[in-house]
Amino acid sequence: MFRRRGRSAGAGVVVGVLVAGSLGAGAASATPTDPTDAGKAAGVAGPAGAAPEAGGYWATSYEPGTPRPAGFPAQGPTRNLRGETAQVTTTVREVRSGHPNDTSAKEGVENLADQDSDTKWFARDSGRPTRGEPVHVIYTLRTPAAVTGYSLTSANDAAPRDPAAWTLLGSDSDAAAKDADDPSWKVLDEEEGQRFGARGQTNFYPVDAPPAYRHYQLRISDNCADRCAGSAGDHDKLQLADWTLRSFAGSSASALGVSVENADSAGAADGSAALRYSGRVLAAGPASSTVVLRSGLDVPLGRESRLSYAIRPDDAASARIALDIVHTDRDGRHPRTHAASTGGRTPAPGKWNTVSADLGALAGRRVSEIRLRYADAHAKSGDQPTGWIDDLSIGKAVLDASTTWSYLDTPDIDPARGESDRTAWTRAGFDAGDVPWKKAPGPFGVKNDGTDLGPDFPVRTKLRLRKDTGGNIEAYFFRTSFSMERGSLDAITGLLGTVVYDDTVTVYLNGRRIAGRGDGKIEKNLQYQTPEGATGKGDPVTARFSVPAPALREGTNTLAVEVHQSNSTSSDAYFGLHSLAQTADSLPFTDEQLGTSYASDNRPSAPGGGDYLTWLLRSFDTARNTPPLMGANNPLPRGTTYEELTAVNDRTVVDINNAPSGPGDRRVHKALVDGANSPYRTMADGLGSTLGPLYSRALKNGELPKAEALLSGRVEKTPESSADWYQTAKNNYQYKRPFVRMGFTNDSGLIERWDSPGGYDGLAGDGSFPSGHTSHGYAQGIVLATLLPELAPQILARASEYGDNRILLAFHYPTDIMGGRIVGGKTAQLRWSDPGFRKLLEQAKAELETVLAQKCREAGVGSSPARCAADGKPYLPTGEALTVYKQRLTYGYPRIGAEDRPPAVPDGAEDLLLTAHPKLTGAQRRTVLAATQISSGAVLDEQGAGGSWQRIDLAAAMAAKVTAHRDGTLTVDGVRVNAGGVRVGK
């Protein structure tokens, strides 16, 4: 079975919305739309030539709980139905509240509109809301919209904080945006006695026949308090993860709306999120719609193939739902639609129904699409087909929870029979000899003398290994085999598995270790893990692992697993394999790939010894010894005025920090979000209004495992250490932070306190130069730019904003940002200059391009990331992005070093242009960097040997238009230069 990686899209997060006419033809134009025989009976159109079919084999799985859609192109006509969108068709422009909690990035009021249940609004100091003293939130839309429904998603922490009673109101008066009691507010809905059954649960509420309003208010008049289980300390607190406005697509027919929602309220069949469908019948008579859930597949079918999914229609009118597949011949031609037979059974409303359809008759064909079809020949006006689909797959897993294993739980028996290679027992064909292996299905477990590890960890086979004294449980060993056909191996990227274990686990395929958790100290079979390894505390752990296709064999493959204890007093053990399924999606890097020590994991040596980054940033000494540039490294007296500041570094911080209008300013919110999150995630908007959300959703859905592994840590960390490289330089330079030196405005200082007091207190004693956040931002931003070089100017400009936001919060000076950029640039360069690590980067680049291109095609917005990005609004136009990036290289500071010096490119910097200029030689790429460098003498310009990172304008170099000439010269952006980057001729 091909199966999507089992990663939740996130509770309550809408990853795709279908609005009729908004997505273009997309995949809909890929096939004719003559009715099929199967479609005629239901009034649904499909590809030409398709006849009623039954049967099938195995294929891929799209799991609505972990979807990949960014929008779902309509297939065929939509009749007499309009689809509900997941949110209003206009954008929330502003969010206001009397308790905004502005200084918290993850708990501020703006988080209500981000459709991300990982963030929330905590109404700090609100007290328990009442009718007399309610707590309000007001959305202002860009343009008026009629809201036909809305949803609320509970936040983490405690149930007593949940809203329990509220009123939804609408207004068209701009005065209402700032006044929750304005008389123009109209009541649209009232709710009382509401409950959320789980954290991150989304509840839905309809609104009948509303007019279009520009302002909407959620007026909360009670929380759950003592009516919900939890601490009394939470009774006077209020929190909410999301408030999402919803509307229908209009009065004309449009495709059934599809989105991914938190499905805890419906008891999701698999995971907390599921695919939600919703629409409304316009008039009595036939109503239908077909929506593509997954396109771009290429999955072979065989005799045992089945289509299975779980469906939960809300009512009888919502049960006219089925899934179809589009299949082709082996060459991708002659597409036909197959309406999978469900045996004539209609799903029962109000509960989860398991559907399984035989596809064996399609053996030899290949699945290219999965579609959701709604059709009701006798629909009633006003019917609202709504419901859920989850746990969708095609085929049979290679291994699943019911698999029978050979297992060993006899004390003091070595499964390797004493061989020097302790893993010999994991090889295919290993002679077990007289080792007493048993056979049984999983899951396996033991707890003291029983099997009660809790309701979430069922035990089918009890493990019986137990020593006579001490109550200790030893290691356990498991083996099983499965077969792979050549056609399957050619069609997949590999296998994805899910294993549950306690305390450690190691997974082998055909004698080779492919994954392990907590097993780093295990050296022999019959041993306990050492205290430095797993702790053994807590419940069994779920982990995912991958098997690359090249590691598989045609024919029989052997999977072996060993489970060890963390110490000699452990009283429980557990092993269960949920599934091992085939996939055509991108696989994560293996443990071996990420755990290998690469040459670039070792920092270069500083000339003369000492910390390398301290040496690399040594020009900071000149900067801090230049009084007009930097102030003395001590706090300024209280009451110091702006006019009394003599250093441009101080003045610039105050200018940037004082610019926002108040704590609710969007620039402040963005700075707080940047500071509280990983740069590679928050900088998604650097990809533009269309591609950026697709990238964010792909990350959240787990569809970019390679890119995420590198950007989230491996680029900047080593297998041996998670320490930050720049910290020693910070400790060595120890320049005080702006808010420490200049004080806060509420205490006769110059700095506006935009972050929480704790945020400032936590950094007050740490050095300011270089900026650690900025070094992360540039390391991740530069790497992301090299993975998507067509968008390098925008991505790098956004990376520069990430650094600039540290100045806005007054955590850093511009000089700190310059230093952080140098550290980030050097980090990225070392990785690209390392041939071994470069292979990881190249694989991440291919993954990113492939996944984003697919998501762009599904959204109907181009066939490549670059075309997709061009479809929407860019973060900045290219020219403006280049200007912004260049300005933030120096912030316009006066030059303090020798000017008119020749270009000086650091060794290895040319490798950062490998993807932007792949046809140029290394020497030519150095020439491009030299030709686009800024002039010498700037702050932090190192004018000695080794080149100057401060002068590198990477955005200009990556975006440069270059022509190579036979005489060895280049034309760079219209200027002819020699090998040193110096202009030649006119």
Side-chain angles (χ1 to χ4, degrees), residues 10-36:
V13 178
V14 177
V15 301
V17 180
L18 178 69
V19 182
S22 68
L23 298 173
S29 63
T31 56
T33 55
D34 296 334
T36 66

Side-chain angles (χ1 to χ4, degrees), residues 219-577:
R219 194 178 184 91
I220 302 171
S221 54
D222 197 8
N223 65 359
C224 200
D226 54 344
R227 297 184 298 271
C228 286
S231 169
D234 289 313
H235 291 178
D236 60 352
K237 297 176 181 178
L238 179 68
Q239 67 175 27
L240 186 64
D242 287 304
W243 169 33
T244 302
L245 302 176
R246 316 171 75 85
S247 74
F248 288 107
S251 58
S252 60
S254 60
L256 187 70
V258 180
S259 62
V260 170
E261 310 282 356
N262 182 284
D264 281 343
S265 59
D270 182 18
S272 62
L275 188 143
R276 173 175 163 82
Y277 61 88
S278 184
R280 177 174 292 181
V281 176
L282 299 175
S288 62
S289 177
T290 302
V291 180
V292 173
L293 300 185
R294 179 73 190 272
S295 64
L297 302 175
D298 181 21
V299 182
L301 297 175
R303 295 186 184 90
E304 298 179 3
S305 189
R306 301 191 71 84
L307 170 68
S308 62
Y309 55 94
I311 182 170
R312 187 185 189 279
D314 287 349
D315 52 33
S318 307
R320 306 291 185 178
I321 290 286
L323 295 186
D324 299 341
I325 62 169
V326 176
H327 55 95
T328 69
D329 62 18
R330 293 181 182 275
D331 297 322
R333 299 174 300 178
H334 308 300
R336 306 174 76 182
T337 299
H338 173 69
S341 173
T342 59
R345 292 187 299 174
T346 300
K351 67 178 185 179
W352 286 100
N353 302 257
T354 299
V355 176
S356 181
D358 181 16
L359 302 179
L362 302 180
R365 304 282 288 177
R366 306 180 83 89
V367 175
S368 61
E369 290 182 356
I370 302 175
R371 300 177 177 181
L372 173 67
R373 170 171 48 86
Y374 163 79
D376 189 347
H378 306 288
K380 298 178 182 178
S381 178
D383 278 353
Q384 296 185 36
T386 58
W388 307 85
I389 293 178
D390 202 3
D391 198 19
L392 191 162
S393 64
I394 301 178
K396 182 179 180 181
V398 173
L399 300 174
D400 60 25
S402 65
T403 295
T404 295
W405 295 78
S406 295
Y407 72 103
L408 179 61
D409 67 350
T410 303
D412 300 317
I413 296 295
D414 179 6
R417 303 176 63 201
E419 287 201 20
S420 58
D421 177 6
R422 77 171 190 87
T423 67
W425 65 275
T426 69
R427 298 194 297 257
F430 175 72
D431 183 6
D434 57 357
V435 174
W437 290 88
K438 308 173 186 176
K439 288 185 178 292
F444 300 83
V446 63
K447 174 73 172 179
N448 293 317
D449 290 323
T451 59
D452 185 10
L453 285 91
D456 295 329
F457 307 102
V459 173
R460 189 170 182 180
T461 300
K462 180 180 179 180
L463 293 172
R464 302 186 181 278
L465 173 55
R466 187 175 179 80
K467 287 203 171 179
D468 294 334
T469 59
N472 304 326
I473 300 176
E474 287 187 334
Y476 296 92
F477 307 92
F478 307 85
R479 282 172 53 98
T480 193
S481 296
F482 59 91
S483 182
M484 297 294 299
E485 298 176 355
R486 173 48 53 189
S488 298
L489 291 175
D490 292 341
I492 64 175
T493 55
L495 307 179
L496 286 173
T498 303
V499 61
V500 187
Y501 66 93
D502 189 313
D503 290 322
T504 76
V505 69
T506 312
V507 182
Y508 304 89
L509 180 77
N510 300 324
R512 175 186 173 188
R513 180 185 182 275
I514 57 172
R517 300 291 186 274
D519 63 339
K521 301 295 183 180
I522 295 175
E523 299 174 348
K524 54 186 179 180
N525 288 330
L526 302 182
Q527 76 166 68
Y528 298 107
Q529 179 62 296
T530 63
E532 291 80 8
T535 65
K537 296 180 179 179
D539 291 332
V541 178
T542 299
R544 303 187 186 281
F545 66 92
S546 62
V547 182
L552 294 163
R553 300 173 179 173
E554 183 177 359
T556 301
N557 291 263
T558 296
L559 190 77
V561 178
E562 61 180 295
V563 172
H564 286 256
Q565 297 302 325
S566 63
N567 54 58
S568 61
T569 60
S570 179
S571 63
D572 59 350
Y574 194 83
F575 166 64
L577 186 80

Side-chain angles (χ1 to χ4, degrees), residues 14 156 187-188 325 329 339 452 524 672 812 832 856 914 935:
V14 177
N156 65 350
V187 174
L188 303 177
I325 62 169
D329 62 18
D452 185 10
K524 54 186 179 180
L672 291 171
H812 288 287
W832 273 106
C856 291
L914 280 164
S935 55

